[in-house]
Amino acid sequence: MRQFVVVGHDVPTTEGFPLDDLPSAAGRLDVLCRCVNSALFLSHGIRDARVHLVLADEYTVTFDGATARNLNPDERSTAARIRNALAERENAIGHMPAEPSPGVELRRLGFEATLDRLDGTLVELHEEGTPLPEQDPPTDPVFVLSDHNDFTGEEADLLAARSDARVRVGPELLHADHTITVAHNWLDTDGYASY
Amino acid sequence: MRQFVVVGHDVPTTEGFPLDDLPSAAGRLDVLCRCVNSALFLSHGIRDARVHLVLADEYTVTFDGATARNLNPDERSTAARIRNALAERENAIGHMPAEPSPGVELRRLGFEATLDRLDGTLVELHEEGTPLPEQDPPTDPVFVLSDHNDFTGEEADLLAARSDARVRVGPELLHADHTITVAHNWLDTDGYASY
């Protein structure tokens, strides 16, 4: 299964944010919402993939394409799902998640603990990584991305220590959600071989 | 220059729509907003590209990455720009556009007239098209895409008659905005050759 971890640095950890101003009043939560879209949506269906949004190193909200219901691709309704998850954060105890709706879970886990939880080939996206066409597509990749900020030094060190592969997607530095789309296309085509 | 034409079938042609409910109350205008994002945004800059949103075959709103100012990547603020453009539609006379802000223009042109206006290699995205890696990237491509709906029969016929190349981006059917991201990446890497 394909998984994506997206680290949100400035996003809220409580539900008291407006849906009308995601860029300013919700710490660029719009970026993370677009990552959910690109991780899960096909033209006529939902991918069997998971996306994990790390919220300020305190909580992680997971959307599971296989089990989530009534997902919509727009930013606002995805932000509403995240808000609902945060509203139930008191129900997340230890490693037990809160599950505000099927396929959407909130865990009281930061970045490192979220990486600990996930199985698969950890893929780091890096300007000096291997070009995608030269890398064999893993069966169960876990891509790790940052929001509009760079990874902190600590996050980058952790990722460098943990990653199984380091790739680059092209000469341009892309938004996280665009990078997810490129990664999916690379995997969909089995490394640009099957169309 | 890279250009993208996105045909919106159900979107409004007047400015009286709410920004709070783009999927339902604005005929899936969120889809077109995400296309503006994927056509123009890089991680730390704006691409020198243009995206033309055809609104219900009546108006076309163009965002020019080279001259537009203060663009934001979120759906809501892009929708507000489109709403502002529609509010000035009476200033679009004949082939003269209304220009509500620098780099954003509204023309009183439908799909066919918009294709007439644009120079470049018209690229159709099609399930039976040439796989992207087998196609030489054009210098001045004009990609034509549809929103959440398929092209109408008439639009498809027009496109088939006009297109210079027919490509497919992979085995999965993607949203228009994801397709734009894949197309950019193909061009960025000179056909998956330069990283």
Side-chain angles (χ1 to χ4, degrees):
Chain A
M1 193 181 47
R2 304 175 191 177
Q3 299 189 78
F4 301 90
V5 176
V6 189
V7 179
H9 294 89
D10 308 325
V11 292
T13 53
T14 63
E15 74 275 26
F17 61 85
L19 298 177
D20 290 345
D21 186 8
L22 300 175
S24 300
R28 298 299 311 276
L29 192 63
D30 59 308
V31 177
L32 270 57
C33 294
R34 286 194 294 280
C35 288
V36 173
N37 172 311
S38 55
L40 299 187
F41 278 88
L42 286 170
S43 194
H44 298 295
I46 304 285
R47 289 182 183 272
D48 179 15
R50 284 189 197 145
V51 55
H52 310 274
L53 309 176
V54 180
L55 309 181
D57 207 25
E58 196 171 341
Y59 299 104
T60 295
V61 175
T62 297
F63 288 77
D64 179 0
T67 54
R69 295 285 168 272
N70 305 318
L71 291 182
N72 288 301
D74 66 299
E75 292 164 12
R76 186 187 171 96
S77 60
T78 304
R81 292 299 195 96
I82 296 168
R83 199 165 71 164
N84 291 345
L86 281 169
E88 296 205 13
R89 67 192 178 282
E90 297 306 328
N91 297 327
I93 299 168
H95 277 235
M96 285 292 294
E99 191 173 0
S101 56
V104 182
E105 296 181 330
L106 176 140
R107 286 181 174 78
R108 197 176 289 274
L109 299 175
F111 179 48
E112 181 165 9
T114 290
L115 294 187
D116 289 341
R117 260 196 76 233
L118 302 179
D119 292 325
T121 303
L122 202 69
V123 183
E124 182 183 4
L125 296 144
H126 196 284
E127 290 166 59
E128 293 169 14
T130 307
L132 276 186
E134 297 172 22
Q135 174 79 37
D136 284 333
T139 310
D140 296 301
V142 179
F143 292 89
V144 185
L145 306 105
S146 186
D147 58 5
H148 60 295
N149 298 298
D150 290 335
F151 287 112
T152 65
E154 201 176 335
E155 288 163 353
D157 290 345
L158 179 67
L159 193 49
R162 296 284 191 95
S163 68
D164 303 300
R166 204 162 78 155
V167 300
R168 68 174 187 271
V169 300
E172 301 289 355
L173 212 57
L174 304 183
H175 279 202
D177 58 315
H178 300 166
T179 304
I180 290 172
T181 298
V182 170
H184 266 317
N185 184 248
W186 173 59
L187 297 165
D188 288 345
T189 60
D190 197 18
Y192 306 119
S194 305
Y195 278 76
Chain B
M1 193 182 47
R2 305 175 190 176
Q3 299 189 79
F4 301 90
V5 177
V6 189
V7 179
H9 294 89
D10 307 325
V11 292
T13 53
T14 62
E15 73 276 26
F17 61 85
L19 298 177
D20 290 346
D21 186 9
L22 301 175
S24 300
R28 299 299 311 274
L29 192 63
D30 59 307
V31 176
L32 271 56
C33 294
R34 284 194 296 278
C35 288
V36 174
N37 171 312
S38 55
L40 299 186
F41 279 86
L42 285 171
S43 194
H44 299 295
I46 304 284
R47 289 181 183 271
D48 179 16
R50 281 187 199 148
V51 55
H52 311 275
L53 309 177
V54 180
L55 308 181
D57 208 25
E58 197 172 340
Y59 300 104
T60 296
V61 176
T62 297
F63 288 77
D64 179 359
T67 54
R69 294 285 169 271
N70 305 319
L71 292 181
N72 288 302
D74 66 300
E75 294 164 11
R76 186 187 172 94
S77 61
T78 304
R81 292 298 195 97
I82 296 168
R83 200 165 70 165
N84 291 346
L86 282 169
E88 296 205 13
R89 67 191 179 281
E90 297 305 327
N91 297 328
I93 298 166
H95 278 234
M96 286 292 293
E99 192 174 0
S101 57
V104 181
E105 298 181 330
L106 176 140
R107 286 180 174 79
R108 198 175 288 273
L109 299 175
F111 180 47
E112 182 164 10
T114 290
L115 293 187
D116 288 342
R117 263 195 75 234
L118 302 179
D119 292 324
T121 303
L122 202 67
V123 183
E124 182 184 3
L125 296 145
H126 196 284
E127 290 167 60
E128 293 169 14
T130 307
L132 276 186
E134 296 173 21
Q135 175 79 37
D136 283 334
T139 310
D140 296 301
V142 180
F143 292 90
V144 186
L145 306 106
S146 185
D147 58 4
H148 60 295
N149 298 298
D150 289 336
F151 287 113
T152 65
E154 202 176 335
E155 288 163 353
D157 290 346
L158 179 68
L159 193 49
R162 297 284 190 95
S163 67
D164 302 301
R166 202 161 79 154
V167 301
R168 68 173 186 272
V169 300
E172 301 288 356
L173 212 58
L174 303 184
H175 279 203
D177 59 315
H178 300 165
T179 304
I180 290 172
T181 298
V182 170
H184 265 317
N185 183 247
W186 173 59
L187 296 164
D188 288 345
T189 60
D190 197 19
Y192 306 120
S194 306
Y195 279 77

